[in-house]
Amino acid sequence: MAAEIVNPRNDSGTEGAPEEPFDPVFALHRGGKMAIQATVPVRNKDDLSLAYTPGVAKVCTAIAEQPDLVNDYTWKSQVVAVVTDGTAVLGLGDIGPEASLPVMEGKAILFKQFGGVDAVPIALATTDTDEIVETVVRLAPSFGGVNLEDISAPRCFEIERKLQERLDIPVFHDDQHGTAIVTLAALRNAAKLTGRTLGDLRAVISGAGAAGVAIAKFLLEAGLGDVAVADRKGIVSRDRDDLNPVKREIADLTNKAGLSGSLETALAGADVFIGVSGGTVPEAAVASMAPNAFVFAMANPNPEVHPDVAHKYAAVVATGRSDYPNQINNVLAFPGIFAGALQVRASRITEGMKIAAANAIADVVGDQLAADCVIPSPFDERVAPAVAAAVAAAARAEGVARR
């Protein structure tokens, strides 16, 4: 059944028609949520001659002779393309490029508000992997970085990899890496709170899509003891013959314990549950976890484990929702990551830069560390500057900074 569309401004134009209910969501989105704004005035012919012809020709000629000047004399070094094909939008799924635009606009304004980074939504009318790659490569001269968004797995992995190989600007799939970075930050602080290290922990991830795969790889890179990943058919393990190439790689990297069977089987004695799949985890499975467990149930709007249930058994509980403590929210990561990468004109975003971002987010909590505060608020103004500084320093240390 199609969703009912209300007219939030009651301006149907039909005389005598009954007023429709006011919907503040539609009211806020009417006309879009962003606009282009000039940074220089054009008040008279002198301004015009400088901003446009003939003055602009001097700048064009200089850039043609010395291409790197494009970063100094255009917006390129300060702007990110937010690119989607509309195939995995929030919890809505494959809704197409036009329907994805409100989300891409939202992403762009978060870039600006939290990181001071300009961003442009680009929704593509193709789902073909090579066509997406070719399109973004051709658009890239206008941008300092590319944020891939809401592209379905497993295509998202190949698209990101191919773009990273062909472009010399940061390419970052936020659904993968932003989620992984914030998860690691929260997990570091949860471990610290309970007197443990990452190496002491065994985690179980529900979901083998973009976020689940990225989180598993990233946590292992950061030193996690062990992790098992489960999809709809159970634990991703080497004994399964139904795995795509991405899941086969995950089977080789994870599950040192050699578990097989269901998610519930993996949770017995586990220290950490990380949910990025939806669905519901039975309370009995949560109860079977190790003492002082952590439950990060991040599905929206309905966490895999309701916080009330999780609190019965877990020392630390986190969700993806803003109405509970410890919100695992990507906005803690991506604005500062791109701000730092653009600041030093990084050619890519490395694993070291991601680790630095996670550590910076975790460190912001500081003396406030508590069971209901293992991650800072998205509105904590310290976060983005701390992440940007850490990412910029890591880029310089790893040799990918160009200034």
Side-chain angles (χ1 to χ4, degrees), residues 234-251:
I235 299 167
V236 176
S237 56
R238 293 179 180 179
D239 60 356
R240 284 178 50 180
D241 59 6
D242 60 342
L243 303 179
N244 63 33
V246 171
K247 291 183 182 180
R248 279 200 298 271
E249 180 189 10
I250 283 296

Side-chain angles (χ1 to χ4, degrees), residues 124-149:
L124 302 179
T126 178
T127 60
D128 181 86
T129 295
D130 290 332
E131 287 182 359
I132 291 172
V133 170
E134 292 299 327
T135 302
V136 175
V137 167
R138 282 158 175 72
L139 290 170
S142 295
F143 299 98
V146 176
N147 182 98
L148 299 173
E149 192 74 20

